Amino acid sequence: MTTVEDELDVQVLKVGERSVLRFAEYAFSFFDSAFARSPEGFSFRLADDTFEVRGHNPDFINVIRNGLAWEPAGHAASPCRILLTDRTNPLLPIAPELLSPYFRERHVERSLSGTRYRMHLFPDIGFWQFHDLEEDRAIQFSETPAGFPAWEPGSPLRNFLSWHFSRSGRRLIHAGTLGENGVGILLAGSGGSGKSGTVLSGLCGGLESVGDDYVLASSDDVIRAYPLFSAIKQDPAGLKRVGLEETPAASGPLNWQGKHLIPLAGLHQPQMRKSIEIRAMCLPKITGGERTVIRPTDAKQAFLALTPSVVTQVPGDRDQNFAFCGTVSRRLPAFAIDLGRDPEEVCAAITTFIRSLA
């Protein structure tokens, strides 16, 4: 039987735990030619760095364009280059296929830790990502043009961004943000703790945010958070709580978690800030109480709220991500927020608290 891969002369190669490095080296030998000849793509800036993404599928390019908090790129001598391909693309003549159903990604990550390569595999749909840290270039393989994970529209290219920014000591973390006049807080906690709802309440009350889920963080002289993605996520009930159930934000499709993707730029902040200086880490908790209570807690609780999701959800360099979370948790004062039931009251309490940090 003739397959699509045969017709397009795309060779599907079996890749196992011990052959990942060889496959990465072989795949990147085709990179420059395939990247130069790919017809679709655009250049952009995120957190002062320049990227260029190219592929042959305009639909997925638009997913990236819509999902990132990007700015137009000026001239850059050496941008991070990301190539998107699938088995219908003849420009890259190879594609990976899992050799065995038993693929230990953590084991492979450790074997690659001393090399120039990082990788991630979502085996359910044959979705592979490889990043060459030395040349700052990346390849994403999917089996079909639409074969990307359900979460990709909300945080496109997340792993590539994480690996790229790690080269300069910045880290992608799983946390929300709120601020005023460029000064603010991180909101850390597991799913369902109230991070996104708190960010939405704050935005509706006039505060700023650079993200409710994943943000880029640096730990130089100060802790600083930068936007990567253009939307926050909220379920219909959450939109109703803040009076947005009749707005265009509530009319779009629900994502894989049953949430709407709501553009940050349209939520009472005409233009997203380039960064927020973080002065405290806050751990929200939905209590249903009459009023919001903000009280000090310790660095251990902050670390436990921030670290598990960062280490499990951001592949590659997990030890460094663990250490970075420890640094942030030690340097920032930590506070627990027992969230009240009224979104306006929650916003007012957090606004007063942020102003006390300025």
Side-chain angles (χ1 to χ4, degrees):
M1 181 179 68
T2 302
T3 66
V4 171
E5 292 83 1
D6 294 330
E7 293 174 357
L8 295 176
D9 198 27
V10 174
Q11 183 182 11
V12 178
L13 302 177
K14 295 288 187 179
V15 179
E17 293 178 354
R18 289 185 289 183
S19 56
V20 164
L21 178 58
R22 292 196 304 274
F23 177 83
E25 293 170 338
Y26 188 46
F28 279 107
S29 71
F30 298 101
F31 180 91
D32 290 335
S33 173
F35 189 86
R37 296 165 59 201
S38 293
E40 305 290 339
F42 71 114
S43 298
F44 57 91
R45 287 179 67 81
L46 279 175
D48 296 324
D49 285 8
T50 303
F51 299 80
E52 184 176 3
V53 59
R54 302 203 66 83
H56 77 122
N57 177 11
D59 292 336
F60 190 64
I61 295 294
N62 284 332
V63 167
I64 295 168
R65 196 188 301 268
N66 293 332
L68 293 176
W70 62 281
E71 297 177 323
H75 175 73
S78 55
C80 175
R81 296 177 294 159
I82 302 171
L83 176 63
L84 311 173
T85 189
D86 59 69
R87 295 185 187 180
T88 70
N89 180 13
L91 296 178
L92 195 69
I94 62 169
E97 185 171 271
L98 193 58
L99 176 64
S100 165
Y102 305 104
F103 187 86
R104 299 170 297 172
E105 184 169 17
R106 301 290 183 93
H107 174 79
V108 173
E109 286 180 8
R110 288 192 294 271
S111 71
L112 293 177
S113 63
T115 76
R116 62 194 286 174
Y117 299 109
R118 298 293 180 266
M119 70 84 60
H120 169 68
L121 167 64
F122 182 46
D124 297 19
I125 57 172
F127 183 79
W128 302 70
Q129 294 177 314
F130 294 88
H131 200 116
D132 176 356
L133 296 176
E134 288 188 13
E135 297 289 336
D136 202 15
R137 54 187 184 168
I139 305 175
Q140 178 172 289
F141 295 93
S142 57
E143 293 188 358
T144 66
F148 50 84
W151 53 82
E152 195 73 6
S155 53
L157 309 180
R158 185 179 77 198
N159 294 329
F160 293 140
L161 299 177
S162 174
W163 293 324
H164 163 81
F165 285 113
S166 71
R167 299 164 74 245
S168 59
R170 291 179 284 181
R171 296 284 167 180
L172 188 147
I173 61 172
H174 185 219
T177 55
L178 280 173
E180 185 179 59
N181 298 322
V183 172
I185 60 175
L186 281 181
L187 296 160
S190 59
S193 62
K195 296 190 302 295
S196 292
T198 303
V199 170
L200 184 59
S201 297
L203 285 167
C204 289
L207 293 176
E208 306 160 342
S209 179
V210 294
D212 73 318
D213 195 18
Y214 293 99
V215 296
L216 182 68
S218 63
S219 61
D220 300 321
D221 295 337
V222 298
I223 308 295
R224 191 169 291 278
Y226 305 81
L228 293 177
F229 307 115
S230 63
I232 68 171
K233 307 171 186 69
Q234 189 56 243
D235 58 30
L239 292 179
K240 186 175 182 179
R241 275 195 299 272
V242 295
L244 294 179
E245 70 273 19
E246 300 296 332
T247 64
S251 63
L254 299 176
N255 72 356
W256 64 289
Q257 295 173 308
K259 296 182 178 182
H260 293 285
L261 293 178
I262 309 152
L264 271 165
L267 286 170
H268 306 281
Q269 55 172 8
Q271 186 173 1
M272 200 185 310
R273 279 195 176 269
K274 291 188 175 182
S275 68
I276 290 177
E277 180 184 335
I278 301 300
R279 299 281 180 87
M281 190 186 309
C282 295
L283 319 182
K285 181 180 179 181
I286 298 172
T287 65
E290 186 67 28
R291 302 196 63 79
T292 298
V293 177
I294 302 176
R295 50 189 171 78
T297 188
D298 57 49
K300 177 182 178 181
Q301 295 305 313
F303 178 78
L304 292 174
L306 178 66
T307 307
S309 58
V310 174
V311 172
T312 57
Q313 297 180 26
V314 183
D317 300 325
R318 297 181 200 262
D319 290 347
Q320 291 90 332
N321 292 338
F322 184 91
F324 184 86
C325 290
T327 297
V328 171
S329 301
R330 287 191 300 272
R331 288 180 54 180
L332 292 175
F335 296 84
I337 304 182
D338 298 329
L339 298 167
R341 68 172 68 99
D342 178 8
E344 292 185 4
E345 186 275 332
V346 170
C347 178
I350 291 177
T351 300
T352 299
F353 175 71
I354 290 173
R355 289 174 181 171
S356 76
L357 301 172

